Amino acid sequence: PTPTWLPGFTPSLTPTATGTLIPTTTATATPTPTSTPVEDLPVLISEVLYDPLGDDPGGEWIELYHHGDTSVDLSGFRLGDEETYAGGEGMLVFPVGALIQPGQTMVVANRAVLFQAVYEFVPQFEIIDSDPSVPEMDRDSLWASGSVNLSKDGDEVLLISPGGIWLDAVSWGSATTAFSPSVQPVLEGSSIERYPPGQDS
């Protein structure tokens, strides 16, 4: 079955991520990626800011959360807002070496410098190059011809395996791709957040 969102996926009323996002810690040993079947991947989309204050889409970001017990290699996994192969929205690919640890959140910001200015820590990845120290996501031009630019009126974010399996998705506003009814729109500068972050229906 296709994984679906919890009906309890609710808006975060706080326009900042203080206390909700966890910076990456550097591992002292090389982690061993999980051998979990891709359909049971313990990584979920946990939070999305689709209508930031100020620069839009520059201030947008997507957060993933790992609720499993072993590290997961996300190399080649897709993240974006195009639900149809060869569509016109955007799809990104995690670069080689994109490991997420148990209990870790991973932030993909549109521009790392804008994210850091608001939340005071550096995201793990960025879409548009703004900080040479932050790895860029690769663009998947076969899956989608456009850019990841989240619409405040209605859109979706999808996490897709290298083989094209939908692992997780969320939709809000007028978009009902992930589920219907979708998450209701929130105020500018507020995010929508899965609660609890590791629970999926």
Side-chain angles (χ1 to χ4, degrees):
T2 301
T4 57
W5 275 87
L6 278 176
F9 189 88
T10 58
S12 167
L13 302 180
T14 308
T16 67
T18 303
T20 61
L21 300 180
I22 305 168
T24 301
T25 55
T26 304
T28 55
T30 303
T32 303
T34 182
S35 58
T36 303
V38 71
E39 294 86 348
D40 300 322
L41 191 78
V43 178
L44 298 169
I45 301 165
S46 53
E47 194 167 0
V48 179
L49 179 69
Y50 60 79
D51 187 18
L53 294 170
D55 192 324
D56 191 355
E60 295 176 354
W61 50 264
I62 302 164
E63 177 194 86
L64 303 180
Y65 175 70
H66 180 355
H67 62 90
D69 299 323
T70 58
S71 62
V72 173
D73 187 353
L74 292 175
S75 305
F77 283 75
R78 298 177 176 94
L79 184 70
D81 64 342
E82 178 51 70
E83 68 275 19
T84 306
Y85 182 77
E89 292 182 280
M91 189 57 68
L92 306 166
V93 179
F94 283 97
V96 173
L99 294 176
I100 184 168
Q101 305 297 334
Q104 179 189 353
T105 55
M106 178 179 281
V107 177
V108 177
N110 188 285
R111 288 174 178 81
V113 292
L114 296 178
F115 181 90
Q116 187 176 11
V118 175
Y119 303 108
E120 300 181 348
F121 71 91
V122 179
Q124 285 74 30
F125 295 95
E126 65 178 347
I127 298 171
I128 307 296
D129 184 21
S130 67
D131 183 339
S133 70
V134 178
E136 279 182 69
M137 296 285 284
D138 297 322
R139 208 169 146 191
D140 187 345
S141 56
L142 290 177
W143 187 281
S145 59
S147 301
V148 175
N149 186 349
L150 305 177
S151 170
K152 66 180 181 181
D153 297 321
D155 210 343
E156 58 281 311
V157 172
L158 305 101
L159 178 63
I160 301 174
S161 77
I165 298 172
W166 282 32
L167 303 174
D168 198 18
V170 60
S171 53
W172 59 88
S174 61
T176 55
T177 300
F179 52 86
S180 181
S182 64
V183 177
Q184 293 303 300
V186 294
L187 296 175
E188 181 183 18
S190 296
S191 64
I192 55 174
E193 181 178 15
R194 179 195 296 273
Y195 185 80
Q199 187 174 342
D200 191 11
S201 59

